[in-house]
Amino acid sequence: MAKLDFEFYVSPDGTDHKALFERQINNKCPEYLDNLQEVIDNGVQVTSEEFFAYGLFEDYNPHNPDFSSFIGFKEIAKDRKREFDSIFSINGTISFNHSDNTTQQICYAGCGGTLMTANKLFGLNNSDYIRIPEKKGRPAKGAAKGINKTLDFEYLYSNGERFFRVECKGMQGLDADYGSKAKDIIAKKTAQPSGAGDISFGIITIIPVRPDNRNAKCILVDPEVPDLEFSPKDYLFYSKLRYYATRFSNLGNPNWLQKIKNYILEEDSIQSQKLEIYPYFTINSSIPLKMLLRSFLKFDEFFPWPHFFRTETFNIDDKIVWGRIIEIRPNAYLMYGFTSELFEIINNGTIEDFINFKEESSDIFWKGETSLNGRSNDKIFLGGNFSILSTGEVIGNLNKID
């Protein structure tokens, strides 16, 4: 388990972003005040498996076919796991093993720390948001003509009632000056719209470099922003459908899944208000999800039971988990999959059930016999730690047991 400390930015002019953020939460959504106080008092706790899951998908590209098949995902996961073990140490906190890390490696830490913190503050999970493509914003004060700020590493969440817009920044070295990154967040966020009831903020995640043994820290920056107009409920449904369609692709890519992806991943589908053609959704959210998907995709194939992905079954305490095993290196393995409850809701639940689905997060040691690559004659005995995430995803680092 790793701990990240939580702090608020204090501007050079003395502006206290703690007071700004607490007032914003108290006025707009006081139900999250206890979460905020918990993070202030105790920081952010995360497992190594959860942190790796953020980095594993941080640069996900739905147009890259390697992300839409188990064969491609297996190679990506192997390379990324080796990379993470080389870059990061997770022992009490998250640390860089060496200095002079690349921008992409710092991005892993920045996005991971930011999103984990945002999730804990507002009871969200990864299926509630979509990464926003880079776009031009308002020029910084005093900038030369034609020089604009851009929005990179930004995520838009919805809980069905309001939006949460968060900007991610990462840094290495706890003694580095992060003032310029805070200014950048303020400039970018104030250039973008947000609804009167919405929350817009940025977080700078600063990771120490070994042998520095101080805790990593997340620093929240809270600028004021103008208004955004979009339906939070429709966006939440869209983002969850998009999330699970893309994540399921890493286990396999059957025809029913390709049809969903082709529909929801078309360029600018959110910007073109394509959500308006979802039948019944805003009228009656109690309609079965399976009926909705079949109505707008017009196909009668089977729906997503996990055996379509040639997954293995793992009995973990009282949970049934469907997953696939990837050999990272000799005698070391990664398991990635989903709890059976998620598939049950997609097959037999309503739109509202799907929107509200959240698995209870837990960390469990598991050991048992399983097979590799879906072959029953290729049995192996493994043991290690599993993290069950609130999205229903399950990720585990396993080792061969003789």
Side-chain angles (χ1 to χ4, degrees), residues 8-20 186 222:
F8 290 91
Y9 179 60
V10 178
S11 301
D13 63 3
T15 301
D16 184 356
H17 287 242
K18 180 176 187 290
L20 289 175
I186 293 171
D222 179 30

Side-chain angles (χ1 to χ4, degrees), residues 65-100:
D66 284 345
F67 283 101
S68 296
S69 70
F70 180 69
I71 294 174
F73 175 65
K74 180 169 65 173
E75 295 306 312
I76 290 169
K78 287 168 61 175
D79 292 343
R80 187 61 52 83
K81 186 65 171 67
R82 287 192 291 263
E83 181 185 14
F84 260 60
D85 290 344
S86 172
I87 296 167
F88 298 105
S89 288
I90 300 181
N91 184 15
T93 191
I94 299 171
S95 303
F96 283 118
N97 288 327
H98 311 284
S99 59
D100 297 324

Side-chain angles (χ1 to χ4, degrees), residues 211-396:
D212 188 346
N213 60 5
R214 291 175 292 174
N215 286 341
K217 62 176 64 176
C218 296
I219 299 170
L220 188 139
V221 182
D222 179 30
E224 296 183 11
V225 294
D227 288 343
L228 171 71
E229 293 185 5
F230 196 77
S231 165
K233 190 88 168 185
D234 286 345
Y235 185 91
L236 177 60
F237 174 62
Y238 176 88
S239 63
K240 284 185 174 291
L241 188 62
R242 183 182 191 274
Y243 184 86
Y244 288 113
T246 55
R247 293 300 186 265
F248 287 162
S249 294
N250 297 302
L251 299 182
N253 205 25
N255 288 335
W256 60 265
L257 187 55
Q258 293 178 45
K259 291 185 177 183
I260 295 176
K261 287 170 55 187
N262 288 340
Y263 180 81
I264 64 178
L265 295 177
E266 288 183 8
E267 293 294 334
D268 300 322
S269 55
I270 277 287
Q271 290 82 351
S272 65
Q273 303 291 305
K274 194 171 183 179
L275 285 172
E276 292 178 359
I277 73 169
Y278 278 85
Y280 312 115
F281 172 57
T282 55
I283 300 171
N284 182 3
S285 58
S286 64
I287 188 171
L289 177 63
K290 184 160 55 176
M291 184 186 302
L292 172 68
L293 294 178
R294 283 179 171 167
S295 68
F296 76 76
L297 292 177
K298 296 181 174 56
F299 65 95
D300 296 316
E301 298 173 53
F302 291 108
F303 255 61
W305 282 107
H307 58 257
F308 291 148
F309 302 122
R310 286 188 278 181
T311 52
E312 286 295 304
T313 303
F314 297 83
N315 292 294
I316 304 175
D317 286 356
D318 60 342
K319 295 287 182 187
I320 297 175
V321 172
W322 300 82
R324 298 190 72 170
I325 298 289
I326 297 168
E327 185 173 14
I328 301 299
R329 57 182 179 273
N331 298 324
Y333 301 84
L334 178 77
M335 193 286 290
Y336 180 73
F338 297 85
T339 60
S340 61
E341 284 86 348
L342 175 59
F343 295 103
E344 183 66 37
I345 283 177
I346 293 175
N347 274 280
N348 298 311
T350 65
I351 294 172
E352 198 70 26
D353 293 332
F354 179 65
I355 288 174
N356 294 329
F357 170 74
K358 278 190 180 178
E359 189 63 80
E360 183 176 352
S361 300
S362 60
D363 304 302
I364 300 168
F365 180 82
W366 175 90
K367 64 179 179 179
E369 189 178 58
T370 185
S371 63
L372 300 179
N373 303 315
R375 296 193 296 264
S376 59
N377 60 348
D378 193 8
K379 293 291 186 180
I380 188 171
F381 200 76
L382 300 175
N385 294 317
F386 279 163
S387 281
I388 299 177
L389 309 184
S390 60
T391 55
E393 291 168 279
V394 183
I395 187 166

